[in-house]
Amino acid sequence: MNVNFDSALTAAHAAAANQMHPAGTLYVVATPIGNLADISLRALHVLSVCDTLACEDTRHSQTLLRAYGIDKSNSHWLAVHQHNEAEAAVEVIRRLQAGERVAYVSDAGTPAVSDPGARLVWQVQSAGLRVMPLPGASSVTALLSACGTPAHDSSGFVFVGFLPAKATERGHAIEEMRHEPRTQVLLEAPHRIEALASALEVLGERSVTVGRELTKQFEEIATLAAKDLCAWLCGHAQRTRGEFVLVVHAQPQARTEGSDTDRLLKILMQELPLKTAVKVAAEISGEAKNALYDRALELKQASA
């Protein structure tokens, strides 16, 4: 679909006209992760007025900017990717010292979050130059906002990113995840998602929210037990395609023996099968069913 962004550019310039965008500054600009409409007015303004646009892939970024009606000549572009980031940072610093405004974008989302950009920012800061972030789209925060935060999770989250590709190293990383009580966020590519799902089975009943193709036409979000992730992926041929973000939910806080929930579970388990008792307890208490199931098993084993 062709969209005319002229009015958006006009609005962007009007909205940002009275804001400070000093020269000699590196602007770290978040771009959409799939939906072209997920761009901020401030980002459009800075991308249109910057002297240099440093980016992960010049062809990709040229296409993106042209979609918004922004066309830069070849002299405005500078490739800064994972293979040349340290060397390219020298050129960025030279341009900043000459008083240019330099904007940096990765292929999608917020730069320096599992994308190039962190080394560039570090070197620019080390040179005594200013870095200004322009917040925007992020697959990490997008999924966190849609997966819900259980009442027992008040400790924030851990950003894990991509796990190692080698099975042995990945296994060690997941073993560490088993002992991390906080919410954890993972990223994964389509060609490795099945291997990751298989490895995560050791987390058992721990809740996982998977986000596939976030903000795109075939976006899909589901919350399920870690042990059921492989079956979910196999449930539809399309589910192994696209980019993935996964939230491994926080471990429920340990309950003290004799708590109200324990007493409720004990009473129900005397009269009902374990799964039914857990279901009823979840409806009464409002607590997560997976956490109650784990606690019910502990109580049953303790009384055996």
Side-chain angles (χ1 to χ4, degrees):
M1 181 177 68
N2 293 322
V3 179
N4 188 333
F5 280 94
D6 288 345
S7 58
L9 273 175
T10 301
H13 295 319
N18 295 322
Q19 298 176 15
M20 293 292 292
H21 294 105
T25 298
L26 174 66
Y27 296 89
V28 182
V29 184
T31 56
I33 57 177
N35 193 316
L36 276 178
D38 293 338
I39 187 79
S40 73
L41 293 178
R42 188 179 175 209
L44 288 175
H45 173 75
V46 168
L47 291 174
S48 64
V49 303
C50 67
D51 303 294
T52 293
L53 208 156
C55 56
E56 187 176 359
D57 185 326
T58 55
R59 291 171 298 179
H60 175 89
S61 295
Q62 282 176 333
T63 300
L64 177 68
L65 264 65
R66 284 171 182 160
Y68 299 125
I70 301 172
D71 202 353
K72 298 279 189 181
S73 65
N74 290 338
S75 62
H76 287 87
W77 293 93
L78 181 65
V80 182
H81 46 74
Q82 63 176 340
H83 303 296
N84 78 338
E85 191 171 355
E87 296 81 3
V90 175
E91 176 60 18
V92 170
I93 290 170
R94 185 191 68 78
R95 297 191 184 199
L96 291 171
Q97 290 173 335
E100 290 192 12
R101 294 182 182 90
V102 179
Y104 179 72
V105 298
S106 57
D107 285 349
T110 303
V113 182
S114 283
D115 279 333
R119 184 178 296 179
L120 170 64
V121 167
W122 179 262
Q123 290 185 235
V124 168
Q125 289 178 331
S126 298
L129 297 163
R130 185 173 181 180
V131 177
M132 186 179 291
L134 272 64
S138 166
S139 59
V140 173
T141 53
L143 186 59
L144 282 169
S145 70
C147 71
T149 303
H152 61 260
D153 182 12
S154 59
S155 57
F157 68 92
V158 178
F159 178 64
V160 178
F162 290 94
L163 291 182
K166 294 183 178 179
T168 301
E169 295 175 2
R170 185 171 59 238
H172 291 323
I174 291 177
E175 187 60 28
E176 292 181 3
M177 290 176 59
R178 290 182 64 183
H179 301 291
E180 171 56 67
R182 293 172 292 177
T183 295
Q184 298 163 84
V185 184
L186 307 176
L187 304 177
E188 194 51 275
H191 66 281
R192 297 196 327 189
I193 187 61
E194 290 180 282
L196 176 62
S198 179
L200 288 175
E201 286 183 343
V202 299
L203 300 182
E205 292 288 340
R206 191 162 177 178
S207 293
V208 173
T209 295
V210 55
R212 187 182 72 85
E213 290 292 83
L214 293 180
T215 80
K216 301 176 185 178
Q217 183 178 358
F218 299 106
E219 175 184 87
E220 194 167 8
I221 298 173
T223 299
L224 60 162
K227 65 181 180 62
D228 297 328
L229 184 55
C230 280
W232 181 84
L233 288 171
C234 295
H236 195 289
Q238 297 296 322
R239 285 184 179 161
T240 56
R241 299 179 181 179
E243 300 299 321
F244 291 85
V245 188
L246 299 95
V247 170
V248 177
H249 289 252
Q251 289 277 29
Q253 294 178 352
R255 296 183 183 85
T256 58
E257 187 67 33
S259 68
D260 290 342
T261 306
D262 281 1
R263 285 193 289 272
L264 176 61
L265 283 170
K266 288 177 180 178
I267 293 170
L268 291 172
M269 287 192 296
Q270 289 175 359
E271 306 295 334
L272 300 169
L274 188 142
K275 286 187 177 181
T276 306
V278 167
K279 181 180 178 181
V280 174
E283 292 174 353
I284 294 173
S285 67
E287 295 193 40
K289 190 183 297 184
N290 288 344
L292 289 173
Y293 185 85
D294 291 342
R295 183 57 179 161
L297 288 177
E298 293 174 1
L299 293 172
K300 185 176 181 180
Q301 293 170 356
S303 63

